[in-house]
Amino acid sequence: MEDLTDWLQDELEFAGKVEVPPGNWQVTQKLLADTSEKLVICGSGSLTWTCPDGGLDITYRDVRKAPEVHGLTLQTALAGGGTALRITSPVSASATAGGALVRGVAVSGQSPAANFWTEGLRFKDCWYSTVDGFTFKGQDDAAVPFAAQAGVVFEACQAMYLRDFNVWHCENAVLQTGATHGEGLNASTFELVGVNRGFNLCSSPAGNGHIIRAGHINAYSRGIVMANRPWMTISECLIIKTHVSISNWVGIELANCAKPTITGCQIYGQGGSAGPNTGIHAYGAGTQRGLITGNRIGDFTQIGQGIFLSGGAHHCTVTNNV
């Protein structure tokens, strides 16, 4: 592979549009962009980092000119290559400005049997950003804990849009950290396969307005786990326990989440799998006035519960579940 490092870094210095040419290209250092101008990085090329802590790190200073990344393949030749794409916005982000856009980006190790990124995407202090058509593949692990840590990380963000995405083989497919500024996450149409936790949304303080819908999660320990998040909807999700030997498995776990709606989901274990297994577990005095309806839960042959409310959860309506 030809080394494209110097050309890329020079192009990033001037912002504007950076188009990666077709082909496979080597990158030997982390690429940095710190700009107040609009930056668009696009192309059909594949970039392979051969250094530790590689990837593309973008900081934008003008909330009216959030960056865009389109169509690239980002690979690492290392075991634990860092974060493939990191986007950081000003802390004083404006709720009225459009956010960063990542579309059609694929992230993996050069050889997934041995190489992997520690994280796929990480957004920090970003408002109203969109991830569309993203794929992340961790190392070819078959047991927890996974070597790759996360497919997508939202750190101290607000109102993130995540759609049409696939994540395989990592600890957390979607991880939320830091304080949520306001509204939460809107995620739809996804495949999260062979992950320890599908959605891990437990940072505090947290905002409201989470929507997760129309996706498939194949998880080792938790399909969806949330804490301290009011006003959420989880709907039309298929959540399946990955491995029969894992105990203490929960499809959807909510801790102190007010006014949740869980509807139209199918949650299944595997016949003969170790227990306990629980379809939906909602607990804590903060869990109140929830609606759990129209879900199908089953195939738990060991001890466990279909729907379990505990620890002071109150004024919840549970109806028409099978």
Side-chain angles (χ1 to χ4, degrees):
M1 290 184 294
E2 184 178 344
D3 191 335
L4 207 63
T5 306
D6 292 341
W7 180 84
L8 283 168
Q9 190 59 67
D10 288 345
E11 291 292 305
L12 292 171
E13 296 287 339
F14 296 101
K17 185 176 182 180
V18 179
E19 189 164 357
V20 178
N24 299 313
W25 308 98
Q26 177 178 268
V27 184
T28 57
Q29 67 182 42
K30 179 181 288 187
L31 298 174
L32 303 174
D34 192 329
T35 181
S36 297
E37 300 302 320
K38 179 71 175 183
L39 175 63
V40 178
I41 307 172
C42 60
S44 59
S46 176
L47 304 177
T48 299
W49 275 262
T50 57
C51 59
D53 193 25
L56 177 59
D57 192 328
I58 302 170
T59 299
Y60 65 102
R61 302 292 177 179
D62 188 335
V63 297
R64 299 166 300 176
K65 300 175 180 178
E68 300 180 18
V69 182
H70 299 270
L72 297 178
T73 297
L74 308 179
Q75 295 187 328
T76 178
L78 277 292
T83 300
L85 175 58
R86 180 191 302 265
I87 298 177
T88 303
S89 84
V91 174
S92 57
S94 168
T96 61
L101 172 62
V102 176
R103 173 171 288 157
V105 172
V107 174
S108 70
Q110 185 181 33
S111 173
N115 312 139
F116 60 92
W117 293 100
T118 309
E119 297 175 343
L121 308 182
R122 177 177 282 264
F123 294 83
K124 182 177 180 182
D125 292 312
C126 293
W127 293 38
Y128 296 103
S129 293
T130 297
V131 178
D132 185 6
F134 168 73
T135 63
F136 174 84
K137 172 69 173 70
Q139 189 180 21
D140 288 340
D141 292 341
V144 293
F146 289 102
Q149 292 303 298
V152 183
V153 182
F154 299 122
E155 179 183 353
C157 292
Q158 165 164 315
M160 308 298 291
Y161 297 89
L162 189 56
R163 59 191 181 220
D164 297 335
F165 62 102
N166 304 306
V167 177
W168 300 274
H169 302 143
C170 61
E171 278 292 288
N172 301 284
V174 179
L175 175 64
Q176 198 167 45
T177 69
T180 302
H181 295 301
E183 293 90 346
L185 170 70
N186 188 325
S188 62
T189 54
F190 50 83
E191 288 279 337
L192 314 179
V193 178
V195 297
N196 196 15
R197 290 168 291 270
F199 290 86
N200 185 353
L201 313 178
C202 294
S203 60
S204 182
N208 57 14
H210 288 70
I211 300 172
I212 299 174
R213 68 177 184 86
H216 167 220
I217 304 173
N218 196 318
Y220 277 74
S221 66
R222 297 291 187 274
I224 299 170
V225 54
M226 292 190 186
N228 308 306
R229 277 156 172 72
W231 296 103
M232 77 184 66
T233 297
I234 302 171
S235 65
E236 302 174 77
C237 290
L238 173 62
I239 303 174
I240 299 176
K241 180 178 181 178
T242 296
H243 201 279
V244 296
S245 66
I246 300 296
S247 61
N248 191 28
W249 184 87
V250 182
I252 299 173
E253 179 178 314
L254 305 179
N256 293 306
C257 293
K259 303 178 181 69
T261 296
I262 304 174
T263 183
C265 295
Q266 298 184 63
I267 304 172
Y268 299 114
Q270 295 194 43
S273 65
N277 301 290
T278 303
I280 299 170
H281 187 192
Y283 59 92
T287 298
Q288 55 177 298
R289 295 177 172 83
L291 174 63
I292 303 174
T293 184
N295 303 286
R296 297 179 64 89
I297 302 169
D299 207 12
F300 297 143
T301 58
Q302 299 293 324
I303 186 172
Q305 298 85 21
I307 299 172
F308 183 31
L309 306 182
S310 69
H314 60 97
H315 291 90
C316 294
T317 300
V318 179
T319 182
N320 295 326
N321 299 283
V322 179

